[in-house]
Amino acid sequence: MQVYAIDASFVSGQPFTIGVQPSSSFAVALYAQGGGERLEKFGKVSPVATENVTYGEHENGFVFVSGESSAPTGYDQDWSWPRITLVPDTSSIPSGAYAVIAYEVDADGQPTTPLGERCKAGAPIHGSPPDSDNMALVVCRPREAGAAIAYVIPIATYQAYNSTGGGCFYDDLIHKTTPQWKVSLLRPGGGLGAQQGEPPDPYDLTSPRQQFTHWDARFIRWLAAWGTACDFYTDMDLHSGQLDLGAYKCMLSVGHHEYWSAAMRGAVARFLAGGGNLAVFSGNTCFRPVDFGAPGTAEHMKVVNKLADQWPDHNESDLLGLSYGFGGGRWGDWEPGAGWTNTARDPIGFTVRDAGHWAFAGCGLADGQSFGTEDRLIGYEVDGVPSVPNGFHVLADTVRLDGWDMGGAGAMGIHGAESGSGPKAGLVFNSGTTDWVRVLTDRDASAHAVVSRITANVLEAFTGQPAE
């Protein structure tokens, strides 16, 4: 059963609204992404308003019945499904990432699927297919800043790769859809439960790329293990001003944060100019420009419009130090009848160029030494240094990515003027690679300890708060 969030984020203690599949009998459960590998049950939710939905309360909880709908269900349209406004049965909930799960039940509220049985029992749930087809990602932002770090979850990027309804910004060769320039935010698949044509990740087949479970869920687990607190927002909150970066010391961008608006870039530029820091543990970051519909129109904050294939002259490197336009990518080959093949990558890691830098403290590395090679830390997309020097301080880099689908060279390092002894402020740390999170959270990876230590060093330096 499909479901989607009407607004990708809500304020702690306030209700949130979901769209639900028509002509269905179902119950709803709220799960949270915490420190465990699976989503954990978070209390109960109660309806406060409905639209084209009836419900009754039974001993097994609320049973909802959604009405019929004849609304169009295209990739670029508001699906206008029946709606439920829900409120958690607590005065406030922690800022974080949550999954709303809708599961089918009979008239007495008894689950009719294995997923429903697990939800009713309060069992942990993995946010990957097929269970994620019943989920909507919702982000709870705080009433007021309560941490030093603002974690921004990239909803626009997740929707850009979501071909549910027949289209997205890319060729979906599996489902035979062609690239488009506008996608709706009001449809299933905005972080969980998407239809995709992406090649699988050969080094992590537990979840599909371009989904919350593949990127953000892993980093959130790492943060919990290190005792690092964050307030959570979406990129739309950054775009709209719901996120006031001035209340934080550090903004966090993770995984594959590809699609940014001019307003997002402007907010981050002002934050850095005012002494804030940006920690980028992502690749292909801020590469493509979008907007969220023109203000004052019916589509405002309901769609994502792709404005171009990239920013002019890859000028996001002026903000972040690196650009995917100077890096590389390796995806594989599509063969009709066989699907995606040759998705493996060469074993490439980073080679250290400034082992004495504070980011490498405690890593035990020397200049010229490589890390992450056998883990394929470099991939499947990696960002590189502009051909014209822009002041980016290269801490480590890669060999030329010859033979890749997109060839260049990758790098990681610091953008911004550092003081030898003063506070580390107004800086960007950019890891440059999409696969940073995978190695960070894989305890069997050879570079796990190094990548984890670098990540902790960056967050400690950027917030002044040591990780535990």
Side-chain angles (χ1 to χ4, degrees), residues 189-256:
L192 291 166
Q195 173 180 285
Q196 291 185 347
E198 281 284 284
D201 184 342
Y203 309 107
D204 177 14
L205 296 172
T206 62
S207 58
R209 288 178 180 148
Q210 326 314 345
Q211 289 282 270
F212 169 81
T213 306
H214 199 79
W215 309 115
D216 298 288
R218 296 178 180 279
F219 202 90
I220 292 170
R221 295 200 299 270
W222 183 90
L223 290 168
W226 280 76
T228 303
C230 292
D231 287 343
F232 288 82
Y233 297 87
T234 70
D235 47 1
M236 289 180 286
D237 297 322
L238 178 59
H239 171 88
S240 67
Q242 295 279 8
L243 165 54
D244 175 13
L245 283 175
Y248 296 92
K249 295 182 178 179
C250 176
M251 176 183 140
L252 192 53
S253 178
V254 170
H256 186 205

Side-chain angles (χ1 to χ4, degrees), residues 252-344:
L252 192 53
S253 178
V254 170
H256 186 205
H257 199 170
E258 181 176 359
Y259 286 87
W260 288 46
S261 69
M264 291 166 60
R265 285 186 57 170
V268 171
R270 291 188 295 273
F271 177 56
L272 294 169
N277 299 303
L278 172 62
V280 178
F281 301 107
S282 163
N284 194 9
T285 308
C286 191
F287 185 63
R288 303 188 198 275
V290 295
D291 67 28
F292 294 93
T297 69
E299 288 191 333
H300 184 50
M301 304 307 289
K302 294 181 180 180
V303 300
V304 184
N305 292 306
K306 179 181 171 183
L307 303 180
D309 284 328
Q310 64 272 319
W311 296 95
D313 301 319
H314 308 307
N315 65 16
E316 77 279 8
S317 58
D318 297 339
L319 179 69
L320 305 179
L322 302 175
S323 170
Y324 177 57
F326 306 109
R330 179 74 178 98
W331 315 291
D333 302 316
W334 174 263
E335 297 183 8
W340 285 103
T341 63
N342 302 321
T343 57

Side-chain angles (χ1 to χ4, degrees), residues 161-164 166-179 195-198 334 340:
Y161 287 88
N162 172 25
S163 67
T164 300
C168 64
F169 291 164
Y170 299 86
D171 280 311
D172 179 343
L173 298 171
I174 294 175
H175 302 97
K176 299 179 175 57
T177 72
T178 56
Q195 173 180 285
Q196 291 185 347
E198 281 284 284
W334 174 263
W340 285 103

